[in-house]
Amino acid sequence: MAQVVDGVDSGRDVCRVHPEAMTLLGVRAWEPVELRGDGGGVAAALVGHLDWQARRDLCVIDPLLAENLGVSDGARVV
């Protein structure tokens, strides 16, 4: 689930996910990943860690990345 946040990662093509999700996906911090949004958009991003207390299904992205993916807050991102 996308959470769109305008903050420190804005404009850097970063998506942040829970560390356990990174393990399940087989990716390490700062590796490139391909994101696909419900809106039909596709974008490349670097993956970074979220805090351990965060929801495990979150993908935190900035407004520009959300626009490129065609998604808004709460949308599905793969």
Side-chain angles (χ1 to χ4, degrees):
M1 177 176 72
Q3 181 178 11
V4 181
V5 176
D6 194 9
V8 69
D9 290 328
S10 290
R12 296 176 52 203
D13 292 328
V14 172
C15 67
R16 293 197 178 262
V17 298
H18 194 277
E20 288 179 3
M22 289 177 64
T23 300
L24 289 171
L25 294 169
V27 296
R28 296 183 197 162
W30 309 118
E31 286 187 336
V33 294
E34 180 181 271
L35 300 175
R36 294 181 181 272
D38 277 348
V42 178
L46 298 176
V47 67
H49 288 121
L50 266 179
D51 190 84
W52 277 95
Q53 286 82 16
R55 288 180 44 178
R56 285 162 178 74
D57 66 342
L58 279 183
C59 178
V60 178
I61 57 176
D62 73 349
L64 181 59
L65 197 49
E67 183 179 330
N68 290 340
L69 292 170
V71 300
S72 59
D73 228 18
R76 186 170 179 255
V77 175
V78 181

